[in-house]
Structure formats: C-alpha cells, structure tokens
Amino acid sequence: MKINTAEFLVSNQDPKLCPTPNKPEFAFIGRSNVGKSSLINMLCNHKGLAKTSSTPGKTQLINHFLINQTWYLVDLPGFGYAKVSKTKRGEFSKIITGYLRGRQNLVNVYLLLDSRLEPQKIDLEFMEWLGENQIPFSMVFTKTDKITSSVLVKNLKVYKTQMLKTWEELPKIYTTSSTSKMGKEELLNEIGDLVEQLKDFKFV
Ligand code: GTP
Ligand code: MG
C-alpha cells in the first residue's frame, strides 16, 4: 500500500472524543522515546506530521490521523517515562487502557520496541495485558540503523526466547528504522491488506 494522503485530525485525552469509529484503525504504542512519531512520519512520507522530540514524553495525547481517506492511524502517548510523576503515569495508562479496550474499530496495535535493548519488564507486562484483553498486536523493533545486523539477529533471538516462556505463539515481528526506512513496505502492506479485507465491514 502507498500512502497518498495523511492528515492530522484531532488530539485528545478522552477516548470518547476520538473521531467516529467508522473506519479501520491502527494504533502505534511503546515506551517514550522508542520512535513512534518518527516511524509514523516515515510511513506517511511526512516529516512534520507527528511531533518528534529527543525529550521523552512529548506525545501525551491520543493523536488521530486520517490516511488515504480510508483508515485511521493513531499515535498514542508513550508509557513508562520515569521522569513523569507517578500520578501522571497512572493517568497515561488510564488513557491508553481506556482507549485500547473501548475502541471498537481498532484492528491492530503496533507495539514499538527498541531493537538495541534487551526485553524490558514494562513491555513484557504490556504485551501480557494486551493478550489478557484479547487485543491483537504486532511487535515492531525500531532504530535498527543504530546496530549491526548481527546484533539485531542476536537481540531478536533473546526476545523470542523470553517471549516463548509465556506465549504459545509469537505475534508478527517487524524490524524497522525511520532513518533507513527499513520495514516500511512490510508494515504498510500488512495494514493495506487488512484495510482491503475490511472494506465492506460496518464498524458502526
Ligand atoms: P514520545 O512521543 O516521547 O513517546 O516519543 P516517540 O516514541 O514518539 O519518539 P520520537 O519519534 O519522538 O523519537 C525519539 C528520538 O529517537 C528522536 O530523537 C528521534 O530522532 C530518534 N529516532 C526515532 N526513530 C529513530 C530511528 O529509526 N533511527 C534513529 N537513528 N533515530 C531514531
Ligand atoms: Mg511521539
């Protein structure tokens, strides 16, 4: 799939105020600074679409984008940012969990994981939560340009071994870089196929 048009629609903290759920929706989530906004901009060929920052915690809202007039892309707040106070963190997670549980047109969640790091507790816990709530997701490893391919292979192996301790089956895995555009086609093709399959589905 090619992205021809990408427009920012609305930002808010209240899942109830999100756009009418009448189109398939795909959400991007992950720890602060993992590269969500950069990946979204890379996928959409649009540098300033989602705000990026080297300061973690930049995206604190549910941001909706309308793509090709046919589907919604969502940039969610980063979770697990240590410098945000405890109550604030709780507030983030309520926004995130409320949105993820309640959004009826949500087709798939892309959980971004830093390819340089070993499995992080908060990410593993978040995947457990998604599983318990039967929310479909894929794993998207980011910033692969910052490591060699052999380190990437090694890190993925560690991740898979860790996951298989609790998961019977692994979700789909993508390896990406916003800088080199690695993984762009694979991700967009998956979303494109799902959008096509759902073209006659009535969400509301
Ligand atoms: P929050 O909105 O704070 O949760 O962060 P985010 O997950 O949206 O991260 P963002 O896209 O703002 O990126 C954080 C930092 O990582 C920025 O300095 C980006 O330039 C950098 N970055 C993101 N993706 C990549 C990548 O694929 N390669 C490299 N080299 N740097 C990246
Ligand atoms: Mg962001």
Side-chain angles (χ1 to χ4, degrees), residues 70-181:
T70 51
W71 56 279
Y72 293 127
L73 186 157
V74 176
D75 185 9
L76 288 170
F79 57 76
Y81 173 47
K83 278 193 187 156
V84 176
S85 72
K86 247 199 174 143
T87 41
K88 195 85 181 166
R89 252 192 285 169
E91 192 186 312
F92 288 168
S93 56
K94 236 206 207 138
I95 294 171
I96 293 170
T97 56
Y99 162 82
L100 291 171
R101 279 170 131 145
R103 193 71 176 154
Q104 68 209 65
N105 60 334
L106 183 63
V107 178
N108 197 30
V109 172
Y110 294 93
L111 174 64
L112 274 59
L113 303 155
D114 192 321
S115 63
R116 299 169 297 176
L117 307 179
E118 56 188 47
Q120 305 285 297
K121 193 161 168 266
I122 192 162
D123 291 322
L124 296 169
E125 284 173 2
F126 189 69
M127 286 188 268
E128 292 291 332
W129 184 88
L130 288 171
E132 280 161 17
N133 286 278
Q134 301 186 322
I135 298 166
F137 70 96
S138 307
M139 296 163 78
V140 178
F141 287 92
T142 62
K143 307 192 186 184
T144 58
D145 59 286
K146 293 201 175 195
I147 49 174
T148 61
S149 55
S150 59
V151 171
L152 177 62
V153 169
K154 194 183 98 217
N155 289 358
L156 286 181
K157 209 170 147 197
V158 171
Y159 225 112
K160 287 178 190 169
T161 309
Q162 173 79 34
M163 291 280 291
L164 287 170
K165 287 183 187 162
T166 47
W167 291 81
E168 249 172 64
E169 227 181 299
L170 293 179
K172 268 201 186 141
I173 293 177
Y174 294 92
T175 46
T176 68
S177 161
S178 302
T179 314
S180 76
K181 299 192 176 9

Side-chain angles (χ1 to χ4, degrees), residues 35-38 50-53 58-59 75-76 78:
K36 290 176 297 294
S37 303
S38 303
K51 299 273 179 294
T52 63
S53 158
K58 176 89 187 167
T59 311
D75 185 9
L76 288 170

